[in-house]
Amino acid sequence: MIDKFGWDRTIGLGVIDVKSPDVETPEAVASRIRSAIKLVPADRLVVNPDCGLRNISAPVARAKLAAMVAGAAMVRTELTGAAHHPNPLEPSPEEPEQ
């Protein structure tokens, strides 16, 4: 539908399967994001799990979220050409701490 009619708003993309205990790889997450930006411009795409994480264990939820963050960082690096920061949750040396 999006490719047929277009989309002029932000859309949330669920890249993490919260019904499975299997942890996605950052590469799998990045692949899902790349597929989505063929239909929705990257600046209108919000990456998130496909639903809440309360029905999976905390360690699995944290691992899935880490994969989501790493996969999003991979695609962001590809799109911007910026150097990949090893821990996307911490500011890079160029970014001031807040």
Side-chain angles (χ1 to χ4, degrees), residues 2 21 36 39 41 46 60 63 67 71 74 79 94:
I2 291 173
L39 302 173
V46 177
V60 171
M74 290 168 65
L79 293 174
E94 307 87 43

Side-chain angles (χ1 to χ4, degrees), residues 75-89:
V75 176
R76 185 180 304 112
T77 298
E78 293 166 10
L79 293 174
T80 64
H84 177 69
H85 188 267
N87 183 348
L89 299 177

Side-chain angles (χ1 to χ4, degrees), residues 85-98:
H85 188 267
N87 183 348
L89 299 177
E90 294 180 11
S92 68
E94 307 87 43
E95 298 173 2
E97 287 194 45
Q98 298 179 12

